[in-house]
Amino acid sequence: MKFRRIMVIGVLVISMLLSAACAQQGKPKGQGTETAKGAGKALSGVINIDGSSTVYPITAAVAEEFAKLNKDVKVSVGIAGTGGGMKKFYAGQIDICDASRPIKQEEIDAAKKNGIEYTEFKVAFDGLSVVVNKGNDWVKSLTVDQLKAMWEPDSKIKTWKDMDASWP
């Protein structure tokens, strides 16, 4: 039930972002507009979205539904990754950046330098599952600290024995 509620909220937020991006086409940066739909006019234009591969499925689904209701709007959704999407966003190349993390300070600074205003919305949370091959009979459990130690940048852990001396 909670997952469904998050998905519905995510779809609504992305729909609002699509409408807002479309309504902003051709407007000077920083000026608010009424959404064309609210003014009784059909939406038209192009909306470019890029970024996180984990957010992509939600965005692609919403973009498809949005396009069905707004035939004169072309929505492009790419998968450049969060960092790649952010670079395109603060360079002014895309309207919406899908990100699987909060915006970093250097990205905030670059956006500000380029006159890009933004609003962050939490659409969903990633869920991770850690599974161990059934042939692995020595690992009964792993802690979050152990997982972090394995996957952090420049980790020294290369084998199971590096994690626990009693493991092969």
Side-chain angles (χ1 to χ4, degrees), residues 52-71:
S52 171
S53 61
T54 57
V55 183
Y56 172 82
I58 298 169
T59 305
V62 171
E64 185 178 327
E65 293 302 313
F66 183 85
K68 287 178 188 175
L69 299 173
N70 300 278
K71 303 275 187 223

Side-chain angles (χ1 to χ4, degrees), residues 77-147:
V77 183
I79 313 173
T82 297
M86 284 291 185
K87 286 178 186 174
K88 290 179 181 184
F89 181 72
Y90 62 70
Q93 298 171 348
I94 59 174
D95 303 297
I96 298 171
C97 178
D98 286 343
S100 55
R101 59 164 171 77
I103 190 169
K104 295 179 179 178
Q105 186 59 52
E106 59 265 24
E107 295 162 342
I108 293 169
D109 296 342
K112 186 175 182 179
K113 177 184 169 195
N114 293 331
I116 305 294
E117 295 180 19
Y118 66 91
T119 302
E120 280 185 278
F121 292 96
K122 289 182 182 176
V123 175
F125 293 95
D126 289 344
L128 298 176
S129 296
V130 179
V131 294
V132 178
N133 186 301
K134 65 182 177 181
N136 181 330
D137 59 0
W138 61 91
V139 175
K140 301 299 179 212
S141 66
L142 292 169
T143 67
V144 172
D145 287 338
Q146 286 174 312
L147 294 171

Side-chain angles (χ1 to χ4, degrees), residues 6-66:
I6 290 171
M7 289 298 291
V8 168
I9 292 169
V11 168
L12 291 172
V13 168
I14 293 171
S15 293
M16 291 183 328
L17 291 172
L18 289 170
S19 293
C22 192
Q24 289 287 355
Q25 293 294 323
K27 300 290 181 185
K29 290 197 185 314
Q31 287 190 359
T33 64
E34 290 182 46
T35 60
K37 195 166 194 153
K41 300 175 186 171
L43 295 176
S44 63
V46 176
I47 302 171
N48 293 308
I49 306 169
D50 208 335
S52 171
S53 61
T54 57
V55 183
Y56 172 82
I58 298 169
T59 305
V62 171
E64 185 178 327
E65 293 302 313
F66 183 85

